[in-house]
Amino acid sequence: MIRTGIAGLGWWGRTLVESVDGSDAMTVVAAAQPTLRPDAAAFVAQRRLRHVPSLDDLLADPEIDAVILATPPSGHAAQVTAAARAGKHVFCEKPFTYDKASAAASVAAVEAAGVALGIGYNRRFHPEMTGLRERIRTGGLGVLEHIECTMTVPNALVMPRTAWRADPAEAPCGALAPLGVHAVDAFIDLAGTIETVYAQSGRRAVDLPTDDTTSVLFRMASGATAYLGMMMATAPTFVVQVYGSKGFVRLDGMTHVAGASSEERRTGLFGTCRFQPVQGAAETWEAARVDVGRACLEAFARAAAGGPPFPIPPAEIVHGAAVCEALIRSATTGQAQAVS
């Protein structure tokens, strides 16, 4: 049982705590938050968590084996490094960082300390993504040609200006941090190294500093291509389509809608699925309801306990940060950018 402290008790931090209820791999025993709003204070009291003001307090506690960082992205690099140097296993919510250099330095600190590193790309852990990965790798789709992903929520229509997701310094390119990085990780997982990106991003429907509509084209080292559309001010959806020379797979689902229940945010991400071969009838089925947050955190806990390594390798975490860096630069310059 990995005894864990969490830094950050926003709505997603609380969702992470709820996702490991009853787990035999991890328990959350303490929470770090400078000040507690009434809803967070009630949550701490209900769960009998020990409240401390800062991450440093968690890192100094010998009774804590690991920390979860449910904090804004700008702090991740320093926080991951500090946790590793304190000898704590560290699970970082996405995005890890927005640039390759800080991501690589953080990973180097983790590897030097010999602790486990996890990242919150929880959609990788759904059986439909596992099945899609295996279908591609065993040739079931033939030559992989193209991937498309559309991720949308209405959250920016009700988001307060004080939210970190409304701050372009914390959340550049609008939905990249809350949504799009999941797709970037999926492209890396399914199609390998990304070589170039071209992004356009703007604000269409909200009175906030952040963008609400972003689209991106990708080219992989393999020659395959990808498209990502992400919006923060329309009805919710999550669609992945993967095209190959033998047919395509489409996964329909939902994204994290503000105000949805914790259970729905954790288990309602995937819905109707379809495989359309080049010849013959389509196969359709309904995805299982799986708590991907729990699956992700328990995989991290097993790695921290000396079991199998966390399934997302550090090199892919760093590459994802490099892709984000190039994507943000492309949206700023209006030019395609190479991924370093």
Side-chain angles (χ1 to χ4, degrees):
M1 177 67 74
I2 299 299
R3 293 172 57 83
T4 309
I6 186 168
L9 279 179
W11 66 270
W12 187 247
R14 298 197 294 272
T15 300
L16 291 174
V17 175
E18 291 165 341
S19 71
V20 292
D21 278 350
S23 172
D24 60 4
M26 171 185 287
T27 182
V28 179
V29 298
Q33 183 84 3
T35 58
L36 290 177
R37 297 185 311 186
D39 54 347
F43 184 84
V44 166
Q46 178 190 31
R47 301 208 162 237
R48 298 182 180 178
L49 301 178
R50 183 165 52 83
H51 172 247
V52 296
S54 72
L55 174 63
D56 288 341
D57 296 300
L58 298 180
L59 301 185
D61 189 339
E63 298 297 316
I64 289 176
D65 306 307
V67 294
I68 297 169
L69 301 176
T71 52
S74 62
H76 285 172
Q79 291 165 351
V80 169
T81 299
R85 289 176 177 169
K88 307 297 186 186
H89 306 288
V90 56
F91 181 93
C92 183
E93 254 310 318
K94 52 78 187 169
F96 191 67
T97 73
Y98 291 123
D99 69 284
K100 181 180 180 179
S102 66
S106 300
V107 164
V110 167
E111 292 176 339
V115 296
L117 174 64
I119 181 76
Y121 293 131
N122 53 29
R123 295 173 195 237
R124 270 215 205 194
F125 292 81
H126 196 283
E128 292 303 335
M129 291 302 293
T130 300
L132 179 55
R133 184 186 310 122
E134 288 307 304
R135 191 189 290 261
I136 292 169
R137 292 179 183 174
T138 58
L141 283 182
V143 176
L144 179 61
E145 300 169 358
H146 180 71
I147 307 175
E148 294 185 356
C149 183
T150 302
M151 307 181 79
T152 67
V153 288
N155 296 9
L157 296 172
V158 296
M159 185 184 299
R161 298 181 71 88
T162 55
W164 71 258
R165 294 174 182 84
D167 180 356
E170 287 285 4
C173 295
L176 177 63
L179 299 177
V181 290
H182 282 294
V184 170
D185 179 66
F187 295 165
I188 294 168
D189 180 33
L190 299 176
T193 302
I194 297 171
E195 284 194 336
T196 60
V197 298
Y198 171 69
Q200 52 187 354
S201 188
R203 185 165 57 255
R204 296 286 300 153
V206 300
D207 183 23
L208 292 171
T210 188
D211 294 342
D212 59 30
T213 305
T214 304
S215 59
V216 193
L217 299 175
F218 301 78
R219 180 170 292 279
M220 283 64 173
S222 66
T225 58
Y227 162 78
L228 168 61
M230 43 187 170
M231 286 153 275
M232 293 277 284
T234 189
T237 191
F238 167 51
V239 179
V240 178
Q241 293 194 129
V242 182
Y243 297 86
S245 59
K246 293 183 179 180
F248 72 80
V249 169
R250 176 184 173 106
L251 308 179
D252 277 329
M254 194 60 67
T255 45
H256 296 140
V257 180
S261 70
S262 174
E263 180 182 2
E264 186 64 27
R265 292 196 299 267
R266 301 193 320 265
T267 66
L269 298 176
F270 290 79
T272 303
C273 309
R274 177 183 181 188
F275 170 54
Q276 175 64 63
V278 170
Q279 293 183 331
E283 304 170 21
T284 60
W285 64 96
E286 290 298 313
R289 292 184 72 93
V290 174
D291 190 333
V292 292
R294 184 187 187 99
C296 188
L297 282 168
E298 288 191 335
F300 164 69
R302 288 191 291 270
F310 189 72
I312 304 176
E316 293 185 4
I317 295 174
V318 173
H319 184 53
V323 173
C324 287
E325 182 176 13
L327 190 160
I328 295 164
R329 190 168 62 244
S330 177
T332 301
T333 63
Q335 303 293 320
Q337 298 290 319
V339 178
S340 61

